[in-house]
Amino acid sequence: MTLDAPNKTTPAAPASGAAVELVAEVAKVQPLWALLRVSDRARYMLGMAQAVIDELDELREAISAEQRRPRTEVAVLELLAAIDALKWIGREGGAVLGERRVAVHRSLGPTKRARVAYEPYGVVGVIGAGSAPFAQPLGQIAGALLAGNGVVFKPAVRAAEAGRRIARVCARAGLPEGLVRILGGGAEAGLELARAPIGKLLFTGSPRIGREVAQACVAREVEVSVELGGKDAMIVLADANVERAAAAALWAGCAGAGQARGSVERVYVAPEIAERFVAALVARARALRVGDPGVDRLAQIGPLSSRRRLAHVDELVSEAVGRGATLHCGGPVEDRLYAPAVLTGVTHELRVMREQVGGPVLAVMEFESVSQAIALANDSAFGLGASVWSADRYHAQRIARLIDAGMVWVNDHLPGPTISRGPWGAAAGGGLGRTLGEAGLKACAQEKLIAWEAGSRGMWWGPYDELAARAARTAAKLRSTREVDRERAWREGALSLARVGARALARR
């Protein structure tokens, strides 16, 4: 496995045409890989899972050091999630991408048969986000490989080491040399990859870059899946378990220091329990230990990705407080550290409720009715995930169906794609397409219809004479939902159908 990622501490921009060159190199290897049966390719995915298991401790330390995230958080949200995704793809992905029979109604051809097969795109580009350094891109890469594609993967600059580790996992699994290549660099490298001769692109990252990448792909009629992050909402109903909901809000809002894909940022709570909920949330937030996990192994909340991110988070919170919101706890500490913040008295007029925060900030707002809570949750341009909290699971599930989000959990909230058997992606307007799960696997392949005749001449090949017209009308009426139509069609048109069939057999 060739590693082309830049040095972790000094990420360099790629040379001119680097993406095009890597795509061309992968394209030389990919056709041979595509000749393997899906079941044979699947065994490599199981090998990748075993490689993650074998290097679990080393991976945990390396990713934790690069991301400055707690080691246990990395183990749970990145490594365990990756193992589960790879195991599922290896064991069940073959059935998802296997050929399937397509029924052909006898009225269109009594002897016609058809199947759908899945074919690779060729070379798939994968662009990862710094907030999703390992599990998500590895699952996307594995899905693309299972479908018979080669992959060029561009990790985020702050996830370059994770990218190298992904390449090492692929190498340890015995994948053909050059089938997966790593492209170093920042946003410009991602745009270059989008303009390279790839068959499909899977993007995870910021809205600004994601839209540029999508436009570059669409301009060349290249399929693209885009995940732009979210501004996830929680709806906490009056009958919810307050302590459990508060604990989940804090965990989901502070995972990855609030930078994880699917972190909670907005909480809508019933007025009957609002005071108790906020008190529980603040008490738990104050108890969390903030620090650099590389220095303080007991730290639960690590640093933000950059001082620019820290300034952005502080700006949104300060503006909210300046316009009447109450800050109960939290704020900047030092060296990119931001203690978990809890805000109340917020409205949707504030930027903190409308823009992606990307930090450990939970804005809590009371709602007057369930319908208002749903409307508030839907009032966002980033419909990635949401959750509903209630003792009445069926009522909560009915609410979940009304929320415009790609994923909705009941009495749970997942900051990251940790249910690898299900699809991950935003609702319409917040992204394009799905990754992971059956939908994600199928999105890595092109459906091809393969149909054949069992030997007879096509029933409707012509000539288009009066006999054929009567027979077509009879065939249509025989599929009517009204029994009287079907009976009349048999009486008046059965003979014409029989003659058209006999004509087809006579001229084959």
Side-chain angles (χ1 to χ4, degrees), residues 2-62:
T2 305
L3 303 183
D4 301 281
N7 183 274
K8 164 181 157 182
T9 55
T10 56
S16 177
V20 175
E21 293 175 9
L22 289 180
V23 170
E25 291 174 12
V26 173
K28 295 176 184 177
V29 183
Q30 180 271 332
L32 294 175
W33 172 253
L35 290 177
L36 294 178
R37 295 178 301 178
V38 176
S39 58
D40 292 330
R41 296 196 292 263
R43 283 196 284 270
Y44 286 91
M45 308 306 113
L46 296 176
M48 290 164 66
Q50 189 59 48
V52 176
I53 294 169
D54 292 342
E55 297 193 1
L56 189 73
D57 293 337
E58 188 176 341
L59 284 167
R60 182 191 62 197
E61 294 300 317

Side-chain angles (χ1 to χ4, degrees), residues 43-45 47-48 51 168-175:
R43 283 196 284 270
Y44 286 91
M45 308 306 113
M48 290 164 66
R168 181 167 163 173
V169 164
C170 294
R172 286 201 58 171
L175 284 167

Side-chain angles (χ1 to χ4, degrees), residues 301-371:
I301 305 291
L304 296 176
S305 61
S306 65
R307 288 184 174 83
R308 181 180 177 184
R309 174 67 62 86
L310 177 67
H312 172 71
V313 174
D314 193 40
E315 178 186 341
L316 294 183
V317 173
S318 297
E319 181 199 63
V321 173
R323 295 182 61 181
T326 300
L327 178 63
H328 294 265
C329 63
V333 183
E334 59 181 10
D335 189 27
R336 293 190 280 144
L337 295 172
Y338 197 94
V342 177
L343 287 167
T344 59
V346 295
T347 69
H348 273 226
E349 301 300 317
L350 300 176
R351 291 170 60 204
V352 76
M353 295 297 281
R354 307 197 69 82
E355 297 181 15
Q356 291 179 327
V357 177
V361 177
L362 290 162
V364 183
M365 182 176 177
E366 296 183 25
F367 60 80
E368 296 177 359
S369 65
V370 171
S371 59

Side-chain angles (χ1 to χ4, degrees), residues 454-501:
S456 66
R457 178 181 180 275
M459 189 170 175
W460 303 107
W461 285 6
Y464 294 136
D465 53 14
E466 185 60 31
L467 176 63
R470 289 197 305 272
R473 186 176 186 278
T474 299
K477 290 293 185 179
L478 285 173
R479 304 192 71 179
S480 172
T481 57
R482 291 188 292 268
E483 186 176 355
V484 63
D485 289 343
R486 298 194 299 273
E487 290 178 352
R488 184 175 179 180
W490 273 119
R491 289 196 309 270
E492 299 179 357
L495 183 60
S496 61
L497 269 179
R499 287 178 175 175
V500 167

Side-chain angles (χ1 to χ4, degrees), residues 63 66-67 69 78 126-138 140-141 153-163 166 185-187 190 202-207 209-210 225-230 259-262 305 309 356 384 417 424:
I63 297 172
E66 180 177 50
Q67 296 277 303
R69 290 168 62 181
E78 298 293 342
V126 177
I127 299 177
S131 56
F134 192 81
Q136 188 167 352
L138 188 54
Q140 293 172 332
I141 290 169
F153 171 46
K154 195 210 82 63
V157 171
R158 67 185 179 96
E161 178 62 23
I166 286 175
L202 308 177
F203 174 90
T204 304
S206 72
I209 301 301
S225 294
V226 176
E227 195 258 271
L228 304 176
Q259 302 167 106
R261 317 302 289 181
S305 61
R309 174 67 62 86
Q356 291 179 327
L384 185 59
W424 178 270

Side-chain angles (χ1 to χ4, degrees), residues 427-444:
L432 297 170
R434 294 290 183 271
T435 59
L436 305 180
E438 291 190 10
L441 284 181
K442 290 179 179 179
C444 290

